Every structure is written in structure tokens, then in C-alpha cells.
Amino acid sequence: MSILEVIQLEKRFGGLEVLQGIDFSLNQGESLAIIGSSGSGKTTLLRCLNFLERPDKGRIIVNGQVIFDADDPSTQREGEVRKKRLHFGLVFQSFNLFPQYTALQNVVLAPKLLAKELPDFTKNKQSYFNEIEAHGRTLLDQVGLTDKLGAYPHMLSGGQQQRVAIARALALEPDILCFDEPTSALDPELTGEVLKVIRALANRNTTMVIVTHEMDFARSVADRVIFMDEGVIVEQGTPEEVFGNPKEERTRQFLARYKESN
């Protein structure tokens, strides 16, 4: 059974159709790479999954449960949005860390806020916070930042900040981890350290949707690849199919342009 099903998703901004009839599914432990030119709708798709944008049409199903249906107002209540976002961890292009908090504090902030809503929080506050901070330390260790727990964002390189952002997204234990061009704000020498972390997550069968312009990385890490153009999915398949033997002319042209520019 698929962990994620996206069915006929559409999104407009004014008269501009940014997403048109998007259909795909994702299995537990699968890594899906989404590629395409700027303006193809990739980022808007991630923002719809995370409810930073509300789709105009379509359905989103997670673990067999319809969490959004454009034709069902009961799935669109504002009070439910935060709960639904917990299904998706999102790592942005920019790091978006709170400058006044250390690396560890950035990672544990959201889990601590959620813990305060538990009915027995007052009684077990210290126990909850100790457990959350231990988990935060483990996550920062996993992304190679054991020695940076107390460092503030301005003390970290761009690559280190993005690794903190990845640990922060993992802290809420989302069903699906989404990346929106996670290396686009990094200098080339820092890109590798972030891609290494994502590769390790893939090796641990973390369920991921990765919007990326790193074609070689997508080819080597993804289980499946989607190519988007002008708001539609033009082609999807295994990396071998999409990169090695694309069926659609638009896919071939995109990959040829990428090869020429690199």
C-alpha cells in the first residue's frame, strides 16, 4: 500500500495554472526525485503537500487516509492544518533557522511546543524535555554535527546550517521528508556534505520527496524520478528509464540542456 497518493492535484495563481492534474504515489521507504526547469511547478507541489499552499482541486492521501480533498470542506479546516503538516517534514532552499537559538535548540523547538499540548505535560515536563533533547542530540549526530550542539547559526557554514535544518525536519518523525532544492543556496564545495546526509537517509530507507537540480545525485539515489514541465508530469519512472531512455521529447530536451550547461 502506498504511503502517499496524490490524485489530480491542481493549483492556480490567478489565471496561471501552476499544477495541472498531478498524479503520483509513493511507497514506504522510497526516494522520489522531482526534476524540471525553474517554473515547472516543483516547489508549488511541495508547498501543497505541506499545506503552505491550498490546492484548488484534487486529493492527498497519507497512509490510506484522505487528508485533503478539494471537494470536501471537512478536510480543509484551518484547525487541522498544523496536524496534517506533521505528515511532511520540509527542508527549504534557505535554512530558515532561528538565529537566537543554538543548533540543538532549533532542532528541539517544535517537539517541545507539541509536548506542551499533552494532557500530562505539567506532571512530566522534565521527562518529556529530556527525551526530546536526547533525540535532538542523536539527530545532530546523524548529520555529523555532534560538536556543534551549542553553536548559533551565524557560527555555522551554509552546509552545516542546512544539516541542522534536516535534523529539525526529522525531529517530528514525519511520514515523508521533503526537500526543496536543498543545495541551491550553497557554494559548490558545501553541496557535497548535504547530499551525503540525504544519501545516508536514503540508505536507511527514509521515505523522501526530493526536488533537485543535481541530476547525478537524483540518478544515483532516487528509486523513482518525476520530470515536470509547465505544471504537468511529463514522465516518471526509474532513474534508468528517465535518464537512460526517456520516452518523451520534452524530457530528452531538458536533459540535453542540462548536459550542455554542465
Side-chain angles (χ1 to χ4, degrees), residues 78-105:
E78 289 296 332
E80 296 293 313
V81 168
R82 187 179 66 170
K83 185 187 302 182
K84 292 175 180 181
R85 282 180 181 153
L86 295 178
H87 292 292
F88 301 91
L90 181 56
V91 179
F92 298 88
Q93 295 180 25
S94 55
F95 322 125
N96 291 340
L97 301 180
F98 291 103
Q100 71 273 31
Y101 295 144
T102 66
L104 180 59
Q105 289 170 334

Side-chain angles (χ1 to χ4, degrees), residues 34-183:
I34 303 179
I35 62 173
S37 303
S38 297
S40 61
K42 307 183 303 296
T43 293
T44 298
L45 174 56
L46 288 192
R47 290 177 64 84
C48 285
L49 292 179
N50 202 51
F51 297 97
L52 295 173
E53 302 287 353
R54 179 174 293 182
D56 297 305
K57 291 185 179 181
R59 290 189 294 161
I60 300 172
I61 302 172
V62 177
N63 286 322
Q65 177 186 1
V66 178
I67 66 169
F68 176 84
D69 185 340
D71 296 324
D72 183 356
S74 70
T75 67
Q76 302 172 45
R77 298 189 184 106
E78 289 296 332
E80 296 293 313
V81 168
R82 187 179 66 170
K83 185 187 302 182
K84 292 175 180 181
R85 282 180 181 153
L86 295 178
H87 292 292
F88 301 91
L90 181 56
V91 179
F92 298 88
Q93 295 180 25
S94 55
F95 322 125
N96 291 340
L97 301 180
F98 291 103
Q100 71 273 31
Y101 295 144
T102 66
L104 180 59
Q105 289 170 334
N106 267 280
V107 171
V108 303
L109 178 61
K112 284 186 173 182
L113 290 174
L114 287 176
K116 292 180 179 180
E117 299 178 6
L118 296 172
D120 60 345
F121 171 75
T122 301
K123 179 180 178 181
N124 298 298
K125 174 181 177 180
Q126 197 56 53
S127 175
Y128 280 130
F129 279 9
N130 288 344
E131 183 178 342
I132 289 168
E133 290 191 3
H135 187 219
R137 291 187 181 92
T138 298
L139 291 173
L140 285 169
D141 178 61
Q142 288 178 3
V143 298
L145 293 174
T146 304
D147 60 339
K148 300 295 183 180
L149 301 180
Y152 291 90
H154 74 272
M155 302 165 64
L156 302 172
S157 69
Q160 290 170 333
Q161 290 186 62
Q162 191 63 299
R163 284 187 278 157
V164 173
I166 293 171
R168 179 180 61 185
L170 289 167
L172 292 174
E173 300 182 344
D175 295 303
I176 302 152
L177 186 59
C178 301
F179 293 89
D180 183 15
E181 300 278 11
T183 62

Side-chain angles (χ1 to χ4, degrees), residues 224-241:
R224 219 154 33 86
V225 177
I226 284 175
F227 168 59
M228 291 184 64
D229 187 41
E230 296 183 346
V232 301
I233 292 178
V234 175
E235 186 164 356
Q236 57 181 307
T238 66
E240 292 77 15
E241 291 168 339

